[in-house]
C-alpha cells in the first residue's frame, strides 16, 4: 500500500472550514483514499473514502487531485467536537483488507 | 451504519494472568476482523487479521502464542492476552470489514484499555 504524509498538527477556528491535506505520491491506480478520525481514547471513526472523483457526505468532503498524488479532507464548519487525530490511509481492495495507520494529523478546533 | 461492539472497555489485571477481549459485529456478519494495539501518543498498529473459521494471520513481530485470536462465528472474534505483563498494557482496538456497499470500509470498536499491574 502507498505511504501517506500528513502534517502532524493543525488548528482551526470553530465555525470555519478545516482543510486537512494528505500526500500520497506513490499511489497506484486501484488504490482508494480513506479518511478516519480518532477522538481521544475512542476507536477510529470512518469519515469518507474515494478513488479519483471528489466525494461528499454528511460529515465531510474529499477532494482528490487529478493526478491522485494528494487529497484534502474538508470539514465545512468545524466544531469543538471535531477535535481529533485524522488519518489518511491508502489501500487497494485487491491486496487484502488490512489498514495500516500512519501518524495522522492532530486537529484542534479553537473556540 | 455498521456497529462494532468491544468488551470490556477497561480491564485491570495482575501480572501473569490472561485477559480475553471480545469484539462483536452487532448488525452485520464479518468474515474478517482485525486487532490493533495503540500505545499512548502513538498511532494504531495492526496486530493480526482474524478470519472466521481459520487461523489468524499475525503481523511481523507479533507473538501468536502471546496474543491468541479466535474467530468462531461471523459476529464474534476474541483476543486473549496470555500471561500478561506490564509491557502489554495498551489500548486494544478491533475492527470489522463491512458488507455490501460498505464492504471496503472497516468499522472500529470503542477499544479496550488494558492495565497490567
Amino acid at each position: 500500500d502507498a505511504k501517506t504524509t500528513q502534517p502532524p498538527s493543525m488548528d482551526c477556528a470553530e465555525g470555519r472550514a478545516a482543510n486537512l491535506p494528505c500526500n500520497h505520491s506513490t499511489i497506484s491506480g486501484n488504490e482508494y483514499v480513506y479518511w478516519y478520525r480518532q477522538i481521544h481514547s475512542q476507536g477510529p471513526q470512518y469519515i469518507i473514502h474515494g478513488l479519483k472523483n471528489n466525494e461528499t457526505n454528511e460529515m465531510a468532503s474529499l477532494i482528490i487531485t487529478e493526478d491522485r498524488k494528494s487529497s484534502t479532507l474538508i470539514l465545512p464548519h468545524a466544531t469543538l467536537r471535531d477535535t481529533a487525530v485524522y488519518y489518511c490511509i491508502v489501500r487497494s481492495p485487491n491486496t487484502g483488507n488490512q489498514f495500516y495507520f500512519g501518524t495522522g494529523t492532530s486537529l484542534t478546533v479553537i473556540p | 451504519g455498521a456497529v462494532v461492539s468491544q468488551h470490556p472497555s477497561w480491564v485491570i489485571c495482575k501480572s501473569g494472568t490472561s485477559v480475553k477481549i471480545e469484539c462483536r459485529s452487532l448488525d452485520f456478519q464479518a468474515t474478517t476482523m482485525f486487532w490493533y494495539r495503540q500505545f499512548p501518543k502513538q498511532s494504531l498498529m495492526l496486530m493480526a487479521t482474524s478470519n472466521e473459521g481459520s487461523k489468524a494471520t499475525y503481523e511481523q513481530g507479533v507473538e501468536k502464542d502471546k496474543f491468541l485470536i479466535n474467530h468462531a462465528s461471523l459476529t464474534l472474534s476474541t483476543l486473549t492476552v496470555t500471561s500478561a505483563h506490564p509491557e502489554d498494557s495498551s489500548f486494544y482496538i478491533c475492527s470489522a470489514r463491512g458488507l455490501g456497499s460498505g464492504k471496503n470500509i472497516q468499522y472500529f470498536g470503542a477499544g479496550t484499555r488494558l492495565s497490567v499491574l
Side-chain angles (χ1 to χ4, degrees):
Chain A
D1 292 336
K3 290 185 177 180
T4 62
T5 304
Q6 298 178 253
S9 64
M10 291 181 64
D11 293 339
C12 176
E14 186 178 18
R16 305 295 291 269
N19 298 292
L20 292 91
C22 180
N23 183 288
H24 31 79
S25 58
T26 60
I27 193 171
S28 61
N30 63 349
E31 289 183 314
Y32 285 74
V33 180
Y34 292 79
W35 283 85
Y36 282 77
R37 71 180 182 184
Q38 186 179 25
I39 296 170
H40 183 61
S41 296
Q42 297 182 23
Q45 176 189 24
Y46 166 78
I47 301 173
I48 199 168
H49 76 289
L51 182 62
K52 54 183 177 180
N53 297 322
N54 297 338
E55 302 287 344
T56 296
N57 62 20
E58 65 278 5
M59 289 183 68
S61 294
L62 173 60
I63 308 299
I64 303 174
T65 58
E66 191 170 344
D67 63 7
R68 302 209 323 120
K69 293 185 177 182
S70 65
S71 61
T72 301
L73 178 74
I74 301 173
L75 307 179
H77 305 287
T79 70
L80 298 179
R81 287 181 293 182
D82 292 323
T83 293
V85 178
Y86 287 76
Y87 296 99
C88 168
I89 302 167
V90 173
R91 188 184 69 82
S92 167
N94 299 326
T95 57
N97 304 305
Q98 294 85 352
F99 277 12
Y100 295 96
F101 284 76
T103 53
T105 295
S106 178
L107 175 69
T108 301
V109 180
I110 302 169
Chain B
V3 178
V4 175
S5 173
Q6 202 171 327
H7 177 82
S9 57
W10 187 35
V11 58
I12 300 174
C13 71
K14 292 182 179 180
S15 185
T17 61
S18 295
V19 174
K20 179 183 286 188
I21 302 170
E22 293 187 348
C23 180
R24 295 180 184 272
S25 55
L26 295 187
D27 50 0
F28 67 104
Q29 294 180 330
T31 56
T32 306
M33 292 185 174
F34 306 88
W35 289 95
Y36 295 81
R37 181 168 53 180
Q38 186 175 33
F39 292 107
K41 298 189 184 300
Q42 295 186 21
S43 186
L44 284 80
M45 184 188 76
L46 179 65
M47 299 175 66
T49 302
S50 172
N51 302 297
E52 188 269 335
S54 65
K55 292 183 178 180
T57 303
Y58 290 82
E59 295 294 307
Q60 191 172 7
V62 178
E63 300 176 59
K64 61 180 181 180
D65 295 329
K66 172 79 171 175
F67 300 98
L68 300 179
I69 292 172
N70 184 279
H71 194 153
S73 77
L74 288 172
T75 60
L76 173 65
S77 176
T78 61
L79 168 68
T80 301
V81 182
T82 62
S83 186
H85 291 286
E87 58 265 29
D88 298 322
S89 297
S90 188
F91 191 50
Y92 291 87
I93 309 168
C94 71
S95 70
R97 178 179 176 234
L99 296 176
S101 61
K103 64 181 179 180
N104 289 322
I105 299 171
Q106 282 191 29
Y107 299 97
F108 287 80
T112 297
R113 188 160 303 281
L114 171 64
S115 295
V116 184
L117 304 178

